[in-house]
Amino acid sequence: MHPLKIPGLKHLLCLGAHCDDIEIGCGGTIQRLIAEYPGLQVTWVVFTSNEKRKLEAEKAADLFLEAVVNKQIIVKDFRDGFLPYSGLAVKEAFEALKSLVQPELILTHYRQDLHQDHRLISELTWNTWRNHLIWEYEIPKYDGDLGIPNGFVELNETQTQRKIKLIKECYPSQWGKNWFSEETFLSLMRIRGMECQASSRYAEAFHCRKMFF
């Protein structure tokens, strides 16, 4: 694998509408970034949760970021499925976050995602940070809205399997859902690995709309 080359990367911001979105969409990429950028600072923000899901999300974030010394994990309690209808409060949360962090790379939802919560988080990411590198990750689901990504991050076998292991371990509340399976997560990474001809066979994919170097 070629090393990831992101000029000046010191601070990574990860944004997710729901408690497992970041892990599913870019959990492998986060592992690579942590490994390849020693001393990386990470801010991890989840916008919707309840009492049970918050505990799951905090556990997952801690495990994915266990090698990170300088990290901040924020799990908010907006209502799942209703983010656009709490738009003012969500916008204010973004403005507050903007004053706290100035990341060089932001991982957020795909702008054309058909889930209303995902889409709002993506829109507000772009509205809030205008001079930053933003990668939009994808979430497999019922809507069938996977697009044609233009960025790929190759994952080795260890990163691929650890991502799946931690997702399954940390989110027992999701075990009964038909999409929540090792097959789903592995299949998408395998397809994206095939599309970019990854030597490891696995990759995560992103939509990168603007790049400036």
Side-chain angles (χ1 to χ4, degrees):
M1 284 192 298
H2 299 292
L4 294 171
K5 295 181 180 180
I6 304 172
L9 178 59
K10 296 178 180 178
H11 192 166
L12 171 66
L13 174 60
C14 307
L15 302 174
H18 309 112
C19 289
D20 49 13
D21 287 341
I22 296 171
E23 299 90 321
I24 293 171
C26 53
T29 297
I30 290 169
Q31 292 181 74
R32 273 203 66 181
L33 290 169
I34 291 170
E36 296 183 25
Y37 288 84
L40 183 66
Q41 179 181 353
V42 181
T43 301
W44 180 296
V45 186
V46 177
F47 284 88
T48 70
S49 71
N50 54 42
E51 187 174 347
K52 177 187 291 187
R53 295 275 275 155
K54 181 178 181 179
L55 293 175
E56 293 178 334
E58 290 174 338
K59 177 182 177 180
D62 277 333
L63 289 173
F64 271 91
L65 304 180
E66 64 181 355
V68 178
V69 175
N70 192 353
K71 59 189 173 186
Q72 184 176 21
I73 299 167
I74 302 169
V75 182
K76 297 186 176 295
D77 60 357
F78 289 105
R79 186 178 175 186
D80 185 348
F82 286 77
L83 278 187
Y85 312 107
S86 303
L88 176 60
V90 179
K91 174 66 174 176
E92 289 173 342
F94 267 83
E95 290 300 311
L97 188 59
K98 179 181 180 180
S99 68
L100 295 176
V101 300
Q102 283 300 319
E104 289 76 37
L105 174 62
I106 303 172
L107 304 180
T108 192
H109 287 279
Y110 174 39
R111 188 188 292 183
Q112 303 302 321
D113 194 306
L114 292 180
H115 192 297
Q116 66 276 9
D117 291 351
H118 297 180
R119 195 165 56 249
L120 179 67
I121 295 303
S122 182
E123 291 171 358
L124 289 177
T125 301
W126 284 95
N127 289 344
T128 306
W129 289 279
R130 297 300 185 96
N131 191 30
H132 298 73
L133 179 60
I134 298 174
W135 292 358
E136 301 174 6
Y137 59 79
E138 56 185 358
I139 302 290
K141 57 186 180 300
Y142 166 82
D143 306 88
D145 56 4
L146 296 176
I148 303 174
N150 58 5
F152 299 84
V153 175
E154 183 176 3
L155 306 176
N156 63 32
E157 183 74 22
T158 299
Q159 292 158 347
T160 300
Q161 293 301 327
R162 184 171 183 266
K163 168 183 171 174
I164 294 171
K165 175 181 179 295
L166 292 183
I167 292 172
K168 291 174 64 179
E169 173 185 326
C170 294
Y171 289 103
S173 67
Q174 306 302 294
W175 288 351
K177 296 185 177 180
N178 65 354
W179 58 268
F180 194 87
S181 71
E182 180 175 345
E183 289 178 326
T184 301
F185 306 136
L186 190 62
S187 296
L188 183 55
M189 288 187 284
R190 179 67 187 97
I191 289 171
R192 296 317 191 193
M194 176 270 296
E195 289 178 339
C196 68
Q197 297 188 22
S199 59
S200 67
R201 303 172 66 242
Y202 299 106
E204 288 176 338
F206 298 88
H207 298 262
C208 184
R209 301 178 185 279
K210 295 183 181 181
M211 293 182 68
F212 175 74
F213 295 106

